[in-house]
Each structure stands twice: as C-alpha cells, then as structure tokens.
Amino acid sequence: MNSSLLNFENKDLSLLPSVSLARDLQSKLGEGHQWIFHDALSEGPKNYKGPSLLKFKNKSIAVGAYDSSSELRYRFLSWLPMEGDEFLKRWKLAIKRRHRYLDKNERLKTNSFRLIFGEGDDFPGIVIDIFANIAVIQLDRPWLKKIWNLEAWIKLIREDLPFIEGILLKSKTSAKENEGEESEVLFGDVPEIIEFKENQMIFKTKIREAAKTGFFLDQRDNRLLIEKFTSGCRVINFFSYTGGFSVFAARGGASEVISVDIAKAAIDNCEEHFVLNKLNTKRTHICNDAFEYLELMKKKKEKFDLVIIDPPSFAPNAKAKENAMKAYEKCFAMGAELVSKNGLLAFSSCSGHVSLEDFGHVINASVSKAKRRAKIIAWGHQPSDHPYPLAMKELHYLKFCLLELG
Ligand code: SAH
C-alpha cells in the first residue's frame, strides 16, 4: 500500500503537467499563502484537475493542486524537492495542535472537534471533523481524491485516534453553499444519526444530510460566551440551525428562547436538543425566513434581552461581497431594533470575504441605522481547532461580536 498522504508522491514528478507563475509570488508562498488565482498564472493545461508542477522562469519550484475550471486555480502543496516525510510531519503537528481535544478527560465533556482544517494545517482542500466515534472527511472538490491518498489518511486516523469506529467521506460538488454533496463510507459503520457532546451538552446530527460536515463546530467558544450572559433573559436566536446557541442560552438560565430558521429539518432538531439535555426552559421553534420574522417582531413591538444573529455566508465569493454587506447590515439593524434597553445583541459572520474590518463597518452602520448606542462586550472568533495561516486572513472567516445596546 502507498502509505504517503499524497497520491502522487512516489511517482516521477517530472511527468506531471506544469503551469507557470506570471509574476513572482515566491515570497507570498514562502509566508504561508497557499492559493494562486488564475490571473497570476500563465496558460496551464486545459480541462485538467490534479497534481501539477509550478514553474517560475522555466524552473520547477513547487508542486500543487491545479484546477483549470476554477478561479482558485492552484493550491500550493510543497516546495521542490519534497522531503520524504514532510506530510507526515504536518499530520503529527495537526494532532499536536488538537492535544487538548484528544485528551481523555476533555472528551468526556467535548468529543466533537475539527481535526484537520485544510490550509490552516497545511493540507489544502481537506477538512476532517470528529463527532464522537465518527470521523467525517470533507473534500472541497471530489477531484481532490487525486491529490490526497485517502487510504493513508484512514490508516493514520485509525492509528492516532483509536476510538474511531467509522469514517465518512463528504465531497462538495459545487462551489455554492450547502449545494451538491456526495457521501461515501470509507471505513467501519457510520450510523444515520450520530450523538456527540459539546461542553457537556448533547447534540445529534443526521450526518449525511446535514449541512457541511454535520454541525457548526466553529461556534463552540461563542456559545459558551453567550451562556454567561443569559440568566433571566428573553432570547431570540435567528438562523438558529439545530439550536446550538439556543441550548447554551437555556443552560445559562434564559427565561425563554425562540429559535428561527428556514430549514425545517434543522428547526425540528432544536426541540430534540432541548429534550436530550433535559432543559425545561420555555421555548418556541419557528420555521420561517429570518428577514420576514424580524419584520414581524418589529411590527408586534416585541423586545428581547438578547438577540442572536448568525446568518449563513452571504458572500460565498468575492463578487457577492457588496450584496452580502447589504444583507448583513439589513438583518443586523433589524435585530438591533428588537433589543430591549441595555439588552444584548450578538452578531456573527462566517464569510471569509468579509474581513474583520468589514464586519466592524457593518456593525457600526447597523447600530446607527437602528439609532442605538452600543458598547462592545466581547469579540469572538473561530476556535483553536480551526487555525489559519497568518498570511491568509481570508481563512479567519468566523467573526462574532457581543454588544450591549443603550
Ligand atoms: N447558528 C447556527 C449556525 C447557523 S448556519 C449554529 O450555531 O449552529 C446558518 C443557518 O441559516 C442555516 O441553518 C440555514 O438553514 C439558515 N438560513 C439560511 N437562510 C435563511 C433565511 N433566509 N431565514 C432563516 N434561516 C436561514
């Protein structure tokens, strides 16, 4: 068996197709940036997706993953010549970074985490999430199977995470959010429904149908933050998905929690999560468009002590950014209007194209649109199992802000 994490490492690299840099990006790549867009490359192979050499001034300098159909044309993998165990070293480092999540005692409280976060762990295009005894591998595109040798990944997962009983592969077939996904069991048994823990709360996911790898693990730290502020609060959680924030708000002592999401399957799961966690908080789960419901709450002059707004990525690509900024501003401002005097407001954006600076602008604009004064109580980000290269701030995708409104 080929034990290399790369599918082509033991082959003659000089036989790979090549593409040339149109300008010298070597220092950028050296800083840890791993993406090259089509306009920085000269003509490469047509109708080709797979491993390829990167040339500069006729010299092969690196190896990476090439996709002739995508604007993100090249994902850098390694300088040449490659060291034999370079990728194994990357794997070991990724495991070391998750040391705390792999700790036996920690797993009694939280047994769901991101084991590999693509570029953040120097493994472009591959994400691995752990839900209790199941690992879910997500490839950003199905053809990345040509790059990553899944047999070797399975072997390493089983060696270093001996509690894993099943491995599921999910591949995105479209660049669009939550659209087109294929799944395939790679090892063991993967049940339809998986139960797992996050900070001692129990959640369930229908792993094959669920969005992304199964659950939004990236809000873990922000859910704990919310919990600290909900004692006695009337809370409304827009874009709730399966109620992650709702459940933590209830555990924090909220007097009432309303969850709103457009996806029926997700909203149905909210109630199950309250029951599983034996929470007897007053709650309502509403399957509705969030914008419509924001409008309705405003019309009814409803007020809340905490309003949470965690919309989907309105900017799946750079071109969509302007409209996304408008959509964020619109729902954030509407949310601000629902906050009671000295109540709290939590905003989040999970779009890599909306920078921390952009997010700050949207917050300012929406608070002033709602004619409110605000204090920042806390900023939040993606948790430590979602690391990103300093040189790729677009991978600092999750932003979160908790405000108090006067
Ligand atoms: N806060 C969630 C994650 C939110 S993901 C958590 O902690 O798990 C974004 C959610 O927005 C998805 O569940 C999706 O179904 C929902 N959504 C997308 N468009 C919507 C709309 N127009 N109205 C309401 N919900 C919407």
Side-chain angles (χ1 to χ4, degrees):
M1 188 191 109
N2 172 11
S3 65
S4 164
L5 286 172
L6 285 172
N7 248 331
F8 55 90
E9 200 172 340
N10 302 329
K11 301 201 176 117
D12 182 356
L13 295 187
S14 66
L15 299 176
L16 291 178
S18 66
V19 60
S20 295
L21 277 174
R23 52 179 190 273
D24 189 0
L25 293 179
Q26 292 180 88
S27 62
K28 212 174 144 202
L29 296 171
E31 286 165 9
H33 207 288
Q34 294 163 46
W35 291 346
I36 306 174
F37 287 86
H38 66 110
D39 51 357
L41 291 165
S42 63
E43 209 60 2
K46 295 219 177 351
N47 299 322
Y48 177 73
K49 297 168 191 212
S52 123
L53 295 174
L54 184 68
K55 289 190 169 174
F56 185 60
K57 295 190 172 156
N58 273 331
K59 186 171 171 254
S60 294
I61 55 166
V63 65
Y66 178 87
D67 180 355
S68 59
S69 71
S70 169
E71 289 195 358
L72 167 54
R73 188 112 338 150
Y74 199 84
R75 301 171 202 239
F76 172 90
L77 288 168
S78 170
W79 296 112
L80 292 175
M82 272 200 287
E83 280 174 40
D85 57 353
E86 189 176 324
F87 284 82
L88 192 60
K89 280 187 191 152
R90 295 184 193 184
W91 166 269
K92 294 279 175 217
L93 274 174
I95 296 285
K96 192 167 156 229
R97 278 178 206 120
R98 274 71 174 191
H99 179 74
R100 198 177 72 88
Y101 294 99
L102 286 162
D103 176 82
K104 236 191 202 158
N105 289 327
E106 180 61 28
R107 283 181 48 75
L108 295 174
K109 292 183 262 170
T110 298
N111 62 6
S112 50
F113 62 96
R114 180 151 289 188
L115 180 70
I116 298 292
F117 184 39
E119 287 75 357
D121 287 298
D122 297 316
F123 288 120
I126 183 164
V127 160
I128 305 180
D129 282 350
I130 304 298
F131 297 99
N133 299 329
I134 301 297
V136 182
I137 302 181
Q138 191 180 42
L139 293 179
D140 199 32
R141 291 290 176 280
W143 65 265
L144 285 161
K145 276 187 203 163
K146 288 196 206 167
I147 303 292
W148 300 118
N149 175 18
L150 294 177
E151 265 185 45
W153 283 88
I154 294 166
K155 185 169 169 277
L156 281 183
I157 293 173
R158 293 182 60 195
E159 270 169 25
D160 287 341
L161 288 78
F163 55 85
I164 289 298
E165 289 169 4
I167 303 180
L168 184 76
L169 171 70
K170 276 182 131 183
S171 308
K172 278 195 229 169
T173 51
S174 155
K176 295 206 178 117
E177 272 295 281
N178 302 335
E179 203 179 89
E181 279 192 343
E182 303 167 348
S183 67
E184 177 190 343
V185 176
L186 298 181
F187 158 73
D189 272 336
V190 179
E192 284 310 304
I193 298 176
I194 296 164
E195 199 173 290
F196 58 92
K197 278 181 280 185
E198 175 180 302
N199 288 308
Q200 287 170 311
M201 298 307 257
I202 306 167
F203 290 96
K204 273 185 175 181
T205 178
K206 279 192 182 160
I207 204 89
R208 290 169 179 78
E209 292 129 65
K212 304 281 169 72
T213 60
F215 192 70
F216 294 93
L217 298 170
D218 52 5
Q219 291 286 19
R220 182 191 310 113
D221 292 354
N222 302 325
R223 293 187 188 116
L224 269 191
L225 177 74
I226 282 293
E227 180 188 4
K228 292 185 194 157
F229 292 89
T230 53
S231 177
C233 286
R234 183 171 192 232
V235 178
I236 190 160
N237 178 15
F238 289 98
F239 307 97
S240 64
Y241 190 55
T242 57
F245 281 110
S246 305
V247 162
F248 280 90
R251 188 169 80 177
S255 58
E256 181 185 359
V257 182
I258 303 176
S259 310
V260 184
D261 199 284
I262 204 161
K264 171 99 175 49
I267 208 76
D268 286 349
N269 249 343
C270 281
E271 179 56 23
E272 220 182 329
H273 288 151
F274 274 81
V275 174
L276 264 179
N277 291 292
K278 302 188 172 60
L279 295 162
N280 46 26
T281 315
K282 181 178 173 199
R283 69 260 188 175
T284 324
H285 317 291
I286 313 250
C287 182
N288 209 99
D289 173 73
F291 289 89
E292 254 179 51
Y293 207 75
L294 279 156
E295 198 67 61
L296 180 72
M297 291 294 96
K298 184 182 164 183
K299 234 189 237 160
K300 288 190 162 178
K301 298 199 166 50
E302 296 272 355
K303 293 285 175 204
F304 297 88
D305 307 305
L306 169 62
V307 176
I308 302 166
I309 305 194
D310 177 23
S313 169
F314 288 140
N317 54 57
K319 284 181 207 139
K321 182 174 152 182
E322 208 176 302
N323 284 339
M325 296 285 280
K326 283 187 198 143
Y328 281 123
E329 192 179 315
K330 186 173 173 198
C331 64
F332 287 178
M334 287 165 93
E337 291 183 36
L338 301 183
V339 176
S340 56
K341 175 93 179 141
N342 302 322
L344 298 166
L345 180 58
F347 288 145
S348 194
S349 162
C350 60
S351 170
H353 299 284
V354 173
S355 68
L356 191 55
E357 203 186 348
D358 295 330
F359 185 59
H361 287 312
V362 174
I363 292 174
N364 270 312
S366 38
V367 168
S368 63
K369 199 168 174 182
K371 300 195 174 56
R372 302 291 293 261
R373 284 181 57 189
K375 282 190 205 310
I376 300 280
I377 304 298
W379 288 102
H381 307 273
Q382 62 219 56
S384 63
D385 53 340
H386 292 60
Y388 60 94
L390 180 62
M392 295 185 79
K393 68 174 176 14
E394 55 273 57
L395 293 182
H396 173 197
Y397 70 100
L398 190 73
K399 295 108 197 162
F400 182 90
C401 183
L402 182 65
L403 305 118
E404 184 188 293
L405 298 194

